[in-house]
Amino acid sequence: MAEDTNYHIGVRWAVNGMPSALSLHHVLQDFSGIPRHLDERLPISQFVRNGANSIQLDTWPLEYTSESELRVSLLYWEPGKNPNIEAKTAFEVVMRPGLENSRPEVTSQDPSAPLQPRQGDIAFIRDDEFDTLKVSFDNRQPMPTWCWEEGDVLTDTAATRDSLTQEYRRLHALFEAKDNDAIMDATSSMIQELALASGEPEDYVRHRASFNVFFDNPDLFQLNPFPEEPMTLNLGADNRVAWLTTQGVNVPIRFNHVQEDDVSSRVRLYFIHRDGQWEICR
């Protein structure tokens, strides 16, 4: 590993035609309720901490076949490089759940990479609702302490849920008012850390995170009313990150696509609680 290089980090996964969900430290990053056949990838530097880390790839097929295969690869690339074509593979884990007595296997490994698999903590876990390929790894390059590591430890109670619901209501009112500047100010911690993780200027990240495309096109996007029924409180990252969902993985703030039936853009927000208040962290 080049000691003077601060690499960017990503994950690539493939599920061989199965519905799936990908989480880091049990914080949802990607969900597909329909079979997916193409590889997917995400930059994840802002979710990688010093030392031990974990990724969870959930699947819920009716049954596996001998061709069923799950792949998770950890990627790294130098600043300024194109991650789509210049990323290197630190290691790859493959699971073939349709084969008898199959176990996750590390099929490739770059010993010079900043990310190394935790061989004793990689597992495929069968459950009634879904199955999970857990991929644990060590990060050997120094990372900042991210906000998701610093929130208060939360408890799954009605009081926590109701308090967070009020914060969602406050933000939903900003969306109703089309107050993009106030929304960007509310996400300042997230924007600062995304800029740090990506190496992009903060102004550029703020512009990219803008919701003006929704506000400026009311003929295409319509803000969904705030849900009135009690929502589900979700906790991740050792109970330091919280978010609310309605049914399944639906979220309280989303824009319906006016010209497309049953299609919406979800505003996924992840919160921490510190200094007596809720703060958007991701």
Side-chain angles (χ1 to χ4, degrees), residues 16-68:
N16 193 211
M18 288 177 272
S20 63
L22 184 89
S23 301
L24 276 91
H25 301 290
H26 299 285
V27 178
L28 181 66
Q29 304 294 315
D30 183 88
F31 174 85
S32 176
I34 59 176
R36 176 177 278 169
H37 296 274
L38 299 176
D39 290 4
E40 300 288 334
R41 65 175 67 199
L42 279 175
I44 59 169
S45 293
Q46 68 273 18
F47 269 100
V48 175
R49 63 187 173 192
N50 294 299
N53 292 265
S54 68
I55 289 175
Q56 302 82 38
L57 178 61
D58 299 330
T59 56
W60 47 95
L62 295 176
E63 61 183 16
Y64 296 108
T65 70
S66 59
E67 287 77 33
S68 297

Side-chain angles (χ1 to χ4, degrees), residues 180-233:
N180 188 71
D181 287 342
I183 296 168
M184 292 297 96
D185 290 343
T187 59
S188 59
S189 293
M190 178 187 73
I191 290 171
Q192 290 168 8
E193 291 198 349
L194 287 178
L196 180 61
S198 66
E200 301 285 358
E202 192 173 316
D203 287 347
Y204 171 76
V205 174
R206 183 182 174 105
H207 173 74
R208 192 173 61 186
S210 168
F211 289 96
N212 280 330
V213 66
F214 296 103
F215 300 148
D216 294 343
N217 294 281
D219 54 331
L220 299 178
F221 306 106
Q222 185 178 55
L223 181 65
N224 207 51
F226 193 80
E228 293 302 324
E229 71 277 9
M231 290 175 280
T232 300
L233 174 66

Side-chain angles (χ1 to χ4, degrees), residues 29 45 50 56 69 74 86 89 101 109 139 155 157 175 217 233 245 254 268:
Q29 304 294 315
S45 293
N50 294 299
Q56 302 82 38
E69 184 177 87
L74 271 295
E86 297 179 284
T89 299
N101 299 322
Q109 182 176 357
N139 169 39
T155 55
T157 64
F175 279 91
N217 294 281
L233 174 66
T245 51
R254 58 191 176 98
R268 295 199 181 279

